[in-house]
Amino acid sequence: MALRPLDNALPIAPARPKKQPKVAVSIQKLSDLGVNDENRAPLPPTTSDATIDYIPSENLKALSDPEIKIHRLVEGLESKDWLKVCDSLNNARRFAFYHSTLLLPILEKVMSVLVKAMKNPRSALCKTSIMASSDIFNTFGDKLLESTTSDAFDQMLLQLLLKACQDKRFVCEEADRALKVMVMSMTPVPLLHKLRAYVSHASLRVRAKAAISISHCVSKMGLEEMKEFGLAALVQITAELLNDKLPEAREAARSTVISIYKAFTENEEQKQESWQSFCQSSLPAIHAQAIVKIVPSS
C-alpha cells in the first residue's frame, strides 16, 4: 500500500554551497610594471621602448614644410603621449639643425619641455631630451643666454649635471656628452659664472661633474679671459675643489690649475710676478701651498 505524504511535513532545505578556498593574489609594485626607478638597474625595454630610435645628430634630416610644422611642435611637445613627445623632441632637433630661425622664438618653451622630459623616469624620454639639448647647444651656443631667461638655462644645466650622476650608464654618458658640447659651443666666461654655483652643491657627484666642466671651460681660456672672470676668484674656486671628497673633482681641479698656470706664465707682463707669490696673495697659506705643489714654481 502506498504511503501518503504528511500534510505537516517540513520542506527540505537546499544544500548550502561550499565556500570557495581563498587564493592569494600577488600585487605588483609600480616599479615592476614598466616604470624605471633611478635607484635600481634599468628594466628591459618594453615593446613601446623598443620603437624609440635614437637618431645620431649627423643622421637627422631636414623637415618638409617647416613653416607649417613649427606651429605643431609645441603641441606635440606638450602631449601626454610620451612617444609623441619623443617624436616632437627629434623634430625640435631637426629644427635646430636646419631651421633654427623658426625655432628661436619658442626656444625657451622648448627648453622648459626638455627639463620636464629629463625629470621623467622613462629612460627613453630622458635620453632623447638630453640628445636634443646637445643639438640645441651646438646650434645656438651663447644665444641660449641671450634669448632665454637665466632661470631656463639654469634649470637645464642642473638637470644635465644630475643626469650625468645617474647610475643608468646610457643616460649618464649622454649627459656627459651634452655637457662637453655645452662647453665647446659657449663663451667660457659667462658659462663659468653659471658653473661656479655648483662648486658648493650638496651632492658630491654634482660637484665633481661641475668641476670637470669648469676644467674643460678653463682649458679654452687665455689669460685675458681669466682676468675678465677674475683670476683670484678662479684659483679660489679651484682650491675649494682640490679639497673635495671625490677624486674626480680633485683631478679636474688639478687640470684647472695647470691651465691657469700655463696662461699665467706664458704672458710676458705677468712674469714680473711669480706664480707662487700670486697664489699666496690670493689664497690662505694652506690652500696656496696645495696649489703651488701641483706645478713647479715659475
Side-chain angles (χ1 to χ4, degrees):
M1 182 176 68
L3 297 176
R4 293 175 59 190
L6 297 175
D7 295 337
N8 296 328
L10 295 174
I12 299 174
R16 296 177 63 185
K18 294 182 179 181
K19 290 185 178 180
Q20 297 295 324
K22 294 182 178 180
V23 179
V25 179
S26 63
I27 300 176
Q28 287 180 298
K29 295 180 181 179
L30 183 61
S31 58
D32 296 329
L33 296 176
V35 178
N36 277 316
D37 183 343
E38 293 184 2
N39 297 317
R40 300 174 59 184
L43 296 170
T46 63
T47 302
S48 296
D49 289 338
T51 63
I52 294 298
D53 187 11
Y54 301 116
I55 308 170
S57 299
E58 59 271 18
N59 292 345
L60 290 168
K61 305 297 183 183
L63 290 160
S64 59
D65 301 322
E67 292 82 3
I68 296 174
K69 290 180 179 175
I70 191 66
H71 299 294
R72 303 174 190 166
L73 181 62
V74 173
E75 180 184 349
L77 290 171
E78 292 178 340
S79 173
K80 293 183 179 180
D81 181 349
W82 71 273
L83 286 170
K84 188 173 182 179
V85 176
C86 281
D87 186 57
S88 298
L89 286 170
N90 281 326
N91 282 339
R93 298 172 65 201
R94 294 182 178 97
F95 274 108
F97 265 98
Y98 299 103
H99 323 284
S100 59
T101 55
L102 295 174
L103 188 63
L104 187 59
I106 60 169
L107 188 55
E108 187 163 341
K109 179 63 180 177
V110 173
M111 289 171 67
S112 175
V113 173
L114 289 180
V115 170
K116 183 178 178 180
M118 286 182 204
K119 294 178 181 179
N120 194 290
R122 193 177 290 277
S123 301
L125 182 56
C126 182
K127 178 172 178 174
T128 304
S129 64
I130 295 172
M131 294 175 74
S133 71
S134 292
D135 295 331
I136 286 174
F137 282 133
N138 205 23
T139 297
F140 294 102
D142 291 336
K143 288 183 180 179
L144 288 174
L145 296 176
E146 299 166 3
S147 305
T148 63
T149 63
S150 177
D151 183 64
F153 182 85
D154 291 344
Q155 289 296 318
M156 190 161 76
L157 174 57
L158 173 59
Q159 285 306 310
L160 286 173
L161 290 169
L162 289 170
K163 295 306 169 186
C165 300
Q166 274 202 1
D167 293 328
K168 296 177 185 176
R169 184 174 177 181
F170 76 106
V171 172
C172 174
E173 290 177 347
E174 199 63 53
D176 280 335
R177 279 192 287 270
L179 289 169
K180 288 179 181 178
V181 173
M182 176 190 70
V183 171
M184 296 306 297
S185 62
M186 299 185 73
T187 303
V189 175
L191 184 55
L192 265 181
H193 283 293
K194 295 292 185 180
L195 288 166
R196 73 181 300 177
Y198 300 100
V199 171
S200 303
H201 195 274
S203 168
L204 294 174
R205 297 175 74 178
V206 168
R207 292 205 300 268
K209 294 297 181 180
I212 292 169
S213 292
I214 288 172
S215 173
H216 292 159
C217 207
V218 173
S219 69
K220 293 173 55 184
M221 299 169 71
L223 186 63
E224 292 306 312
E225 288 176 295
M226 294 180 187
K227 287 181 176 180
E228 182 184 347
F229 177 82
L231 198 55
L234 195 54
V235 294
Q236 287 162 9
I237 291 170
T238 307
E240 185 176 344
L241 289 169
L242 276 175
N243 294 314
D244 203 90
K245 292 182 179 179
L246 285 186
E248 296 95 323
R250 298 195 298 270
E251 182 59 34
R254 282 191 283 270
S255 296
T256 304
V257 170
I258 292 171
S259 295
I260 299 171
Y261 172 78
K262 287 181 178 178
F264 187 95
T265 56
E266 286 175 0
N267 186 275
E268 290 296 329
E269 296 179 2
Q270 205 69 40
K271 285 184 177 179
Q272 296 177 4
E273 181 181 11
S274 72
W275 170 246
Q276 184 173 349
S277 298
F278 168 73
C279 292
Q280 290 172 343
S281 64
S282 304
L283 298 165
I286 189 169
H287 291 165
Q289 185 177 11
I291 292 281
V292 170
K293 282 183 178 179
I294 295 172
V295 289
S297 179
S298 56

